[in-house]
Amino acid sequence: MIAFCWLITLQSHAQSTAFKLLLDTFYDKEFPTISPKGVSNLKNPLILDTREWNEFQTSHIKNAHYVGYNNFDISTIQEKDKSRPIIVYCSIGVRSQDIGKKLQEAGYVNVYNLYGGIFHWVNEENTVYKDDQPTKKVHAYNRAWGIWLNKGEKVYGD
């Protein structure tokens, strides 16, 4: 039994290390990130979900605003205070970093990419919502990316 528990712990650590290496590959080291725990340290952040509509509809972070990725339009951002903290997120943080850079180019100065995206958020046991109700469902984007979502209930497709 002890060996089994040790093996599970080792596997979890290996996957965590692999996830960090994956993120290091995709993330621009110059673009600021924020950990799920760090979100609570920001005063009144604007949270933007940069995934596609079906992903957002499955679940999202509380009070997140859908902005999408493929059809993102900077003019839909109604925030006039360009110094207000903005957190962008997607599945793991690749698409949201792209949108975050567009926000920076538009003059927003406190933009943060949620480290590890909604997958890491859920893996860290934070709550996601559908229609203002907590849910365990998370859109896993596709089966290849879904391996990084260790907690919650994976949803694929529309």
Side-chain angles (χ1 to χ4, degrees):
M1 182 65 171
I2 293 172
F4 178 73
C5 290
W6 181 80
L7 184 60
I8 296 297
T9 301
L10 183 62
Q11 180 185 13
S12 176
H13 177 71
Q15 185 171 21
S16 175
T17 300
F19 188 59
K20 289 176 185 174
L21 289 171
L22 175 76
L23 297 180
D24 284 347
T25 301
F26 285 112
Y27 283 10
D28 178 343
K29 291 174 184 19
E30 301 299 314
F31 194 88
T33 60
I34 189 164
S35 70
K37 289 180 182 170
V39 170
S40 62
N41 294 331
L42 293 180
K43 183 180 176 187
N44 191 30
L46 176 61
I47 303 173
L48 303 178
D49 189 317
T50 68
R51 299 172 303 154
E52 294 307 319
W53 182 246
N54 60 328
E55 295 171 271
F56 178 83
Q57 284 293 96
T58 299
S59 65
H60 51 271
I61 294 172
K62 189 171 189 167
N63 299 320
H65 301 273
Y66 168 77
V67 296
Y69 180 75
N70 288 329
N71 296 316
F72 175 72
D73 181 353
I74 193 79
S75 69
T76 63
I77 306 300
Q78 300 296 315
E79 183 58 45
K80 302 300 181 212
D81 179 2
K82 295 209 173 184
S83 66
R84 180 180 179 189
I86 297 176
I87 299 169
V88 290
Y89 75 92
C90 62
S91 297
I92 67 166
V94 176
R95 294 176 285 176
S96 52
Q97 179 178 263
D98 289 345
I99 299 300
K101 287 180 177 183
K102 290 178 182 181
L103 291 164
Q104 285 180 331
E105 290 169 5
Y108 293 93
V109 295
N110 290 315
V111 182
Y112 303 92
N113 192 14
L114 180 63
Y115 184 83
I118 199 169
F119 289 3
H120 189 55
W121 179 267
V122 171
N123 289 343
E124 292 288 307
E125 301 185 1
N126 292 292
T127 306
V128 290
Y129 295 82
K130 177 179 176 63
D131 301 326
D132 296 323
Q133 297 297 316
T135 183
K136 296 292 182 190
K137 294 183 178 183
V138 180
H139 196 289
Y141 190 69
N142 64 34
R143 298 206 186 277
W145 289 112
I147 65 169
W148 304 112
L149 180 63
N150 301 319
K151 300 197 176 166
E153 181 184 330
K154 296 176 188 178
V155 174
Y156 297 98
D158 294 335

